[in-house]
Amino acid sequence: MDELIEKAARIILDSKLTIALTGAGISVESGIPDFRSKGGLWDRFDPEEYATIWAFREDPEKVWQMLKEMEETVDSARPNESHLGLGELERMGLLKSVITQNVDNLHQEGGSRDVIEYHGNSRSLVCLQCGKRYDYQEKKGEYPPRCVCTKILKPNVVFFGEGIPVEAMTRSSQLASTCQALLIVGTSAVVSPFNILPRQAKQAGSKIIEINLERTVLTDHITDIFLQGKASEKVSQVVSAVKQLREA
Ligand code: APR
């Protein structure tokens, strides 16, 4: 067994409270491009023009050009081994919650039940004019989707310039400051306030395991165990190591 994988597995087995923090990198192997890698979403759509709440209010039809592409990609995406692995750790009682920046619903489809959606979820839509909410299925294939009051609907995701849902923010902060082990998968950790959570966990004495294709701003200062590679491979290796050590 790889030494780093074994160390990570032992941290998880010894921890009384473990949580996972995930970003777009965990869904790349499900066919959903991330944002900041080469060829990522922000290479094709300037976030200033497409991903701020001001851009949406200014020209919702333009923003829906990006959202439509995202939605069609998410619709055909299925959970990969890393989503399934985190779901398995939760079922084994070794992972309390997943706090995700992703809005693709793949953690839930991958078997995780305690998922905190820090940036909302693209499965529902809201009208900024009258407040009416819709399930995305009700408006499937309608671009841009419109409310009965005729206004263009906004997906229930957090745009730059919007606040994090209060319940998600509060619960995430509480978990980060009390966890004993933190598994960070597939995030560049450049967006706040999400990127405060790893620092909060570190300050609380948590052991930090990071899985990423490349080193990030966390790797040299916050991370204890850096597992470099694809999320599906590394998560699967950690889960099988946990099972092996638990039976030993
Ligand atoms: N396995 C592991 N890591 C991967 C993989 C993979 N297969 N593919 C990409 N990564 C890593 C990249 O190296 C990068 O560090 O995942 C990270 C993705 O970083 P970003 O594209 O910045 O995505 P994320 O961190 O989730 O962005 C945070 O920014 O634009 C906003 O709201 C958006 O929620 C998003 C937030």
Side-chain angles (χ1 to χ4, degrees):
M1 184 187 295
D2 172 275
E3 193 196 332
L4 281 181
I5 294 286
E6 181 174 354
K7 272 188 183 165
R10 288 193 187 284
I11 286 169
I12 292 170
L13 283 165
D14 294 344
S15 165
K16 290 188 182 52
L17 177 64
T18 302
I19 60 173
L21 300 183
T22 68
I26 200 169
S27 296
V28 165
E29 292 159 83
S30 294
I32 303 175
D34 67 8
F35 295 94
R36 295 174 181 82
S37 295
K38 198 163 169 25
L41 203 69
W42 297 156
D43 269 357
R44 287 172 291 123
F45 295 98
D46 177 352
E48 285 297 316
E49 273 186 61
Y50 286 89
T52 69
I53 187 59
W54 306 287
F56 185 85
R57 286 187 188 281
E58 176 91 10
D59 189 346
E61 291 194 79
K62 176 178 171 185
V63 173
W64 267 104
Q65 287 165 15
M66 173 193 72
L67 294 171
K68 178 173 185 291
E69 183 182 307
M70 279 178 82
E71 196 161 283
E72 284 162 350
T73 313
V74 167
D75 261 0
S76 54
R78 294 291 165 264
N80 64 57
E81 288 305 307
S82 43
H83 300 105
L84 299 170
L86 295 183
E88 201 170 353
L89 284 179
E90 184 189 71
R91 282 192 298 282
M92 292 162 73
L94 294 171
L95 182 70
K96 171 84 183 99
S97 309
V98 174
I99 305 171
T100 187
Q101 300 169 93
N102 302 340
V103 296
D104 55 29
N105 213 52
L106 290 181
H107 282 297
Q108 293 89 331
E109 292 171 31
S112 290
R113 285 172 307 161
D114 190 336
V115 179
I116 299 174
E117 295 176 307
Y118 209 75
H119 289 163
N121 186 311
S122 57
R123 305 290 94 173
S124 61
L125 303 159
V126 64
C127 176
L128 298 180
Q129 174 87 6
C130 71
K132 193 166 167 34
R133 289 175 179 274
Y134 296 81
D135 181 277
Y136 93 106
Q137 291 283 8
E138 295 176 67
K139 297 288 176 180
K140 203 165 165 61
E142 183 185 331
Y143 292 108
R146 286 185 185 274
C147 181
V148 283
C149 76
T150 74
K151 283 294 276 186
I152 293 176
L153 294 167
K154 175 184 165 295
N156 223 2
V157 300
V158 176
F159 280 64
F160 288 114
E162 285 190 292
I164 303 299
V166 175
E167 208 260 337
M169 172 88 110
T170 315
R171 199 159 165 250
S172 301
S173 180
Q174 194 267 327
L175 285 165
S177 47
T178 53
C179 66
Q180 294 182 359
L182 179 64
L183 188 54
I184 305 174
V185 189
T187 181
S188 60
V190 296
V191 171
S192 81
F194 186 86
N195 63 359
I196 295 168
L197 297 171
R199 291 162 177 81
Q200 242 185 311
K202 185 75 179 178
Q203 270 155 20
S206 173
K207 288 274 182 229
I208 315 286
I209 303 161
E210 183 184 14
I211 293 175
N212 201 305
L213 281 181
E214 59 196 17
R215 303 181 79 80
T216 68
V217 292
L218 300 176
T219 313
D220 296 333
H221 311 286
I222 301 279
T223 301
D224 295 301
I225 309 267
F226 179 51
L227 304 176
Q228 185 159 11
K230 287 187 172 183
S232 58
E233 277 163 32
K234 295 302 172 188
V235 171
S236 308
Q237 287 167 9
V238 169
V239 174
S240 25
V242 161
K243 285 179 183 170
Q244 225 178 301
L245 293 169
R246 205 160 75 145
E247 268 131 43

